[in-house]
Amino acid sequence: MDKRSEGQNQYDIIVVGAGMVGAAMACLLARQSRDYQTGPLQIALVEARPTPEFNPHQFDPRVAAITEKSRQLLVRCGVWDGVAAKRASPYEAMEVWDAEGTGRIQFNCHDIHQPSLGHIVENAVLVESLMTEIAELDNIDLYCPAVIVDYQNDKQGISIQLEDGTPLSANLLLAADGANSAIRQHFDFDTVEWDYGHQAIVSTITTEQANQKIARQRFMPTGPLALLPLNNEGDLQHCSIVWSQETSEAERLMGLDEDQFCAELSLASEYCLGQVLRVDKRFAIPLRQRHAKDYVMHRLALIGDSAHSIHPLAGQGVNLGFADVLVLAEEIDRAVKRGLDLGDLSVLKRYQRRRKPENLAAMAAMEGFKRLFAAQPLAVRLLRNMGMSRLNQVAMVKNQLIKLAMGL
Ligand SMILES: Cc1cc2nc3c(=O)[nH]c(=O)nc-3n(C[C@H](O)[C@H](O)[C@H](O)COP(=O)(O)OP(=O)(O)OC[C@H]3O[C@@H](n4cnc5c(N)ncnc54)[C@H](O)[C@@H]3O)c2cc1C
C-alpha cells in the first residue's frame, strides 16, 4: 500500500479523532490489514487532545454500556483483556420502570444463557487501552495533540495541514471527530438536528446498598434516570448516573450542594439502593439529536457521533459508532482485495447504505421512548404501564428483545 515517503506523509487512510470510535477504527484497520499481499494499510491518526488517563482510585464520570457485539470488536482490536484488567463492570440484569405507575420490565442474563447483559466501561479506560495498542502498531502514526488548520479534497487525494505546518495526505479521510465535527461542517454535510431541551447530569455516586450488578433506569415525565452499576474489585457500592432532565430542572439540580443533591437523587431513585451517600463532581451535558443526511462524499466518510448522535437513554451511542467501524472495515477490506480506490464514492456508499437504516431506526426509537414517557394523558399512562407489565410476562418476546439490544 502507499508508503509514507519522507516529508510527504502520504497515507492510505487518515482518521481524525481518537475518541472511542476513531481509535477503534484505526486499530481495527491496522490489524486486519497486516496480512494484505499489497502490504498493511498505512494510517495516520490525528487527535486534538492528550490521551485521557485511567485512574484506578477514581471513576471517570463518563461511562458507556458496552454490548456484547461491541465487546467482540474490542477483542478483535486486541484491547479487551487490557480493558477488563483495568476496570469493566459486567451487569447481569436490567430493571426499567415507570415512575408514574406500576409498569416494570426486568431482564436477566441467565434467561438467555449469557454470563452478562453487557459491561459498563469508563470512556477513559477504553480510549487509553486503544491508544496503548495503537502505540504498538507500526502502521499507524499518531499525531497528538494536533490542530488541523486546512483541508483539501481534490482529484489527487484528500489532504490536511496541521498547525505546525505538517501536511498529511491520503486516499480516504475518516471523520471521527465527534458530535460537533469540524470536518462535517467544513465539507457542508447537511444534518437534521434538534435540541432535546434536556441536559444529562453525569457523575459517580456511592450508595448505601450494593448495586447487585443490576443496571436500573427509572422513567420520569421530566426525563430518565439511569443508575449504572460499577464494580471496583468486588466493591459494588458505586454507580455511574446519567440523569436526563429538562434544562431548567438540570440547572437547579446542578446548583444544589452535595447533601441536597444526594437527598433528591435518593428520592428520584425511589431508594432502590437505599440512601445515596456521596456524589463526585457533577457534569451537565446538553443533549442534541443530530443525523447527517449523507455520511459520505468522495474520499470522505463520517463515523460515530460525527454522523449521528442520540439521546443516551438506551445507552446506544457508542455501540452504533462501533457498528459503523465494523461495517466500514469490512467494506475497506473488500475494496482492497478487489484493487479498488478506497476513497471511491461507490465503496463508501456501500458503508452508508448498510449503516443508515439501523442508525435512523435507533434514533426514531429513542425519540419515541422520550415522548412516550413525557407527561401524557391518563389513558396513555395506563396503556404504557399495562404494556410494560405484559411484556415483562412474555419471556420469548422479552428474550428476543434483549438479544437484539446486545447485538447477538
Ligand atoms: C451522558 C451520556 C451518556 C452516554 N452513555 C452511553 C452508553 O451508555 N452507551 C453508549 O453506547 N453510548 C453512550 N453515550 C454516547 C457516547 O458517549 C458517544 O456516542 C461516543 O462518545 C461517541 O464517540 P466518538 O468517538 O464518535 O466521539 P467522541 O467521543 O466525541 O470523540 C471525538 C474525538 O475527536 C477529537 N476531535 C474533535 N475535533 C477534532 C479535530 N478537529 N481534530 C482532531 N481531533 C478532534 C476529540 O478530542 C475526541 O477525542 C453517552 C453519551 C452521553 C452524552
Side-chain angles (χ1 to χ4, degrees):
M1 305 307 289
D2 279 330
K3 291 284 166 262
R4 284 170 262 179
S5 41
E6 272 308 307
Q8 296 219 342
N9 302 321
Q10 174 67 38
Y11 294 89
D12 296 298
I13 298 175
I14 299 171
V15 180
V16 177
M20 295 183 280
V21 173
M25 184 84 246
C27 202
L28 185 62
L29 288 173
R31 284 170 67 96
Q32 80 174 14
S33 69
R34 284 185 298 195
D35 300 329
Y36 286 170
Q37 284 179 348
T38 42
L41 291 172
Q42 301 298 325
I43 297 162
L45 178 59
V46 183
E47 167 57 47
R49 290 184 303 200
T51 303
E53 280 176 27
F54 161 65
N55 180 347
H57 308 295
Q58 173 107 40
F59 289 102
D60 182 356
R62 293 295 307 271
V63 305
I66 297 294
T67 62
E68 177 56 20
K69 185 175 167 194
S70 296
R71 193 191 69 81
Q72 285 168 14
L73 164 68
L74 297 167
V75 170
R76 283 181 61 193
C77 288
V79 302
W80 178 253
D81 288 345
V83 167
K86 284 182 181 126
R87 197 160 49 211
S89 311
Y91 56 99
E92 296 172 357
M94 196 190 295
E95 271 182 27
V96 180
W97 72 102
D98 189 338
E100 296 207 314
T102 51
R104 183 177 287 266
I105 306 185
Q106 287 144 335
F107 301 98
N108 195 303
C109 65
H110 304 303
D111 295 342
I112 50 164
H113 313 291
Q114 294 290 323
S116 72
L117 293 179
H119 290 79
I120 309 297
V121 186
E122 293 151 75
N123 293 12
V125 169
L126 271 179
V127 173
E128 194 194 58
S129 305
L130 285 160
M131 295 307 264
T132 305
E133 174 63 16
I134 282 167
E136 298 288 315
L137 295 166
D138 58 12
N139 53 331
I140 303 185
D141 284 345
L142 176 65
Y143 296 85
C144 175
V147 175
I148 302 170
V149 289
D150 194 23
Y151 306 87
Q152 295 288 333
N153 189 4
D154 52 37
K155 283 194 184 120
Q156 279 74 47
I158 190 156
S159 56
I160 59 175
Q161 177 143 12
L162 305 184
E163 195 179 39
D164 65 3
T166 309
L168 309 177
S169 10
N171 298 327
L172 172 61
L173 187 142
L174 303 179
D177 52 346
N180 296 317
S181 170
I183 299 178
R184 187 186 65 226
Q185 291 167 41
H186 180 89
F187 287 100
D188 283 332
F189 280 91
D190 267 353
T191 55
V192 178
E193 51 187 279
W194 66 91
D195 221 75
Y196 282 117
H198 270 188
Q199 291 193 359
I201 300 176
V202 295
S203 187
T204 308
I205 58 166
T206 309
T207 54
E208 193 182 5
Q209 292 166 16
N211 59 48
Q212 298 168 298
K213 301 185 185 173
I214 301 174
R216 297 172 170 86
Q217 180 134 263
R218 179 174 185 246
F219 279 93
M220 293 170 267
T222 49
L225 165 66
L227 301 159
L228 306 174
L230 297 170
N231 184 342
N232 199 16
E233 297 178 344
D235 171 3
L236 300 178
Q237 233 74 28
H238 301 280
C239 282
S240 181
I241 58 159
V242 182
W243 193 356
S244 306
Q245 284 286 307
E246 285 160 6
T247 302
S248 55
E249 178 61 2
E251 283 167 359
R252 186 187 71 77
L253 290 168
M254 286 298 286
L256 298 179
D257 68 23
E258 185 177 354
D259 288 347
Q260 291 168 328
F261 185 83
C262 287
E264 294 224 13
L265 184 56
S266 305
L267 190 65
S269 66
E270 290 180 349
Y271 300 92
C272 61
L273 294 171
Q275 295 280 355
V276 175
L277 304 175
R278 272 195 302 278
V279 59
D280 282 358
K281 187 165 181 212
R282 288 161 262 166
F283 297 86
I285 305 169
L287 299 177
R288 197 169 171 78
Q289 168 133 303
R290 207 182 265 111
H291 187 254
K293 287 185 181 164
D294 279 308
Y295 298 176
V296 299
M297 62 172 58
H298 187 58
R299 303 210 176 283
L300 181 53
L302 310 177
I303 57 174
D305 269 26
S306 74
H308 45 78
S309 48
I310 67 173
H311 199 291
L313 70 85
Q316 281 303 310
V318 80
N319 292 299
L320 294 174
F322 283 156
D324 293 350
V325 168
L326 282 165
V327 167
L328 189 53
E330 266 176 39
E331 293 303 334
I332 289 174
D333 185 61
R334 177 179 177 275
V336 170
K337 289 179 175 158
R338 291 175 182 218
L340 304 174
D341 177 352
L342 300 184
D344 196 86
L345 198 53
S346 63
V347 171
L348 302 177
K349 278 212 160 156
R350 287 177 60 90
Y351 151 70
Q352 169 165 305
R353 272 199 302 276
R354 289 179 62 190
R355 288 304 303 147
K356 226 176 170 183
E358 193 196 341
N359 290 332
L360 276 171
M363 298 180 99
M366 290 319 104
E367 187 57 25
F369 262 117
K370 186 183 161 276
R371 288 189 192 182
L372 182 64
F373 285 95
Q376 293 283 5
L378 181 65
V380 178
R381 279 187 277 149
L382 276 174
L383 281 173
R384 191 174 73 196
N385 275 282
M386 274 166 59
M388 280 177 98
S389 304
R390 271 289 164 80
L391 182 59
N392 196 40
Q393 287 156 11
V394 189
M396 204 173 73
V397 178
K398 208 169 75 164
N399 293 347
Q400 279 307 324
L401 264 183
I402 194 67
K403 281 188 186 166
L404 207 67
M406 291 169 76
L408 292 175

